[in-house]
Amino acid sequence: MPELPEVETVRRELEPWLTGRTIRIARRVEAPPGPKYRDLERAAGQRILGVARRGKFLLVPLSGGDELVLHLGMTGILSPDPPTQHLRVELALSGPAPDRLYFRDARRFGRCLVVRAGRYAALPTLAALGPEPFDPAFTDEVFAASLARSRGPIKPLLLSQRVVAGLGNIYVDEALFEVGVHPLRPANRVTPSEAGRLRRASIAILERAIAHRGTTFSDYRTVNGEVGAYAARLSVYAHEGEPCPRCGTPIEKLVVGQRGTHVCPRCQPKPRTRRARK
Ligand SMILES: [Zn+2]
């Protein structure tokens, strides 16, 4: 599933291509009915002012005061080449070729809709999004304070997007391994010093992944049709049974909050339960 590095890669490729062009036609094709694909036709006639990103959302501000909001979901791909199947949205653009943008999504978790700029009532995840990892306001102290407020396990909290935006299953596993914190550790039992290291490790991993255009396991492609090269750099994610790069212990796979989760049982000790502490 595309996470921050993949969406940022797509954003960087879209921005120089789309900015300044006018959307001539915005058409939903085979899109599931309902709120995931709403008011697209309103984009027609508006000029694209830029391409921004918030968490895993792409935000395209338009000259008429609207905003095109796009989420790639699990399998979404944006491309100037028409797909043979699973086409959800087609935009026809002013200017020289390539002048079509196609949104393809096999598994239908993606979305593409037009809202008034900044009005995210129809998009609760976007409305409640925590700080961007690269925002200078997202400090060690802010992150530690957010973790201290939650007794739930750290991994689902990070996946919720509420304490920091953009991390998903792959990069959360990588960041927790990097700092030796087990994904089931209650967030309020992550020390301030660990929280600081986790924040800095997350940022470093995201930056490296962006430099490699993200991680491709199956569907994700950049706008130029390339695969992300970061899969080869992962330490634990998808490395079940292989030796930990730090201590050699076989990496284990478990399920945390219904998500496949990868840990080194030695580098990331399991949190002790109350009973075990007696
Ligand atoms: Zn290890």
Side-chain angles (χ1 to χ4, degrees):
M1 170 168 179
E3 304 179 29
L4 188 153
E6 293 75 38
V7 179
E8 177 62 19
T9 301
V10 167
R11 190 199 71 76
R12 290 180 185 187
E13 292 183 348
L14 289 177
E15 187 174 46
W17 172 31
L18 299 185
T19 304
R21 296 204 186 210
T22 297
I23 298 175
R24 293 193 295 110
I25 305 163
R27 186 166 82 86
R28 55 190 273 176
V29 190
E30 272 188 65
K36 285 181 160 184
Y37 292 86
R38 218 175 56 186
D39 295 331
L40 271 173
E41 59 289 346
R42 239 166 66 192
Q46 301 194 52
R47 195 162 42 85
I48 295 172
L49 303 178
V51 182
R53 179 192 57 73
R54 210 34 199 106
K56 305 176 205 170
F57 289 87
L58 287 166
L59 305 176
V60 181
L62 303 173
S63 55
D66 283 334
E67 198 172 280
L68 180 71
V69 179
L70 226 148
H71 195 290
L72 299 175
M74 302 277 286
T75 55
I77 294 172
L78 288 163
S79 168
D81 302 317
T84 52
Q85 52 180 349
H86 308 307
L87 174 62
R88 306 294 173 215
V89 174
E90 175 182 357
L91 299 184
L93 308 163
S94 66
D99 58 356
R100 292 284 193 285
L101 175 64
Y102 298 96
F103 180 46
R104 161 192 163 193
D105 183 26
R107 292 197 50 195
R108 294 171 169 247
F109 289 102
R111 53 201 307 178
C112 181
L113 62 162
V114 172
V115 298
R116 291 303 287 170
R119 302 277 177 82
Y120 302 140
L123 296 144
T125 312
L126 177 56
L129 219 50
E132 282 295 313
F134 304 121
D135 186 338
F138 179 58
T139 60
D140 287 356
E141 291 72 22
V142 165
F143 187 43
S146 308
L147 297 188
R149 281 193 288 272
S150 177
R151 277 186 275 179
I154 177 89
K155 178 170 175 177
L157 182 66
L158 295 176
L159 291 180
S160 77
Q161 310 295 300
R162 292 195 310 271
V163 296
V164 59
L167 291 175
N169 209 33
I170 298 175
Y171 299 106
V172 165
D173 280 6
E174 292 293 301
L176 290 173
F177 167 75
E178 202 63 37
V179 298
V181 170
H182 194 281
L184 284 172
R185 174 109 66 98
N188 63 357
R189 278 165 45 194
V190 173
T191 68
S193 139
E194 285 173 327
R197 288 196 295 121
L198 180 57
R199 186 190 70 86
R200 293 188 295 274
S202 302
I203 289 171
I205 289 167
L206 292 172
E207 282 175 340
R208 283 202 299 275
I210 291 170
H212 287 83
R213 300 190 312 275
T215 300
T216 296
F217 281 114
S218 53
D219 298 275
Y220 161 69
R221 297 287 183 282
T222 72
V223 177
N224 297 328
E226 294 173 305
V227 296
Y230 195 71
R233 311 260 163 169
L234 296 170
S235 297
V236 290
Y237 188 86
H239 284 268
E240 183 187 4
E242 292 170 34
C244 165
R246 197 168 288 157
C247 75
T249 305
I251 300 299
E252 288 179 359
K253 187 172 179 184
L254 44 138
V255 175
V256 175
Q258 293 158 344
R259 307 295 302 274
T261 295
H262 306 79
V263 296
C264 169
R266 188 163 169 202
C267 297
Q268 295 166 271
K270 217 175 168 183
R272 286 178 298 173
T273 61
R274 288 241 159 83
R275 183 174 297 168
R277 283 164 72 192
K278 261 186 201 163

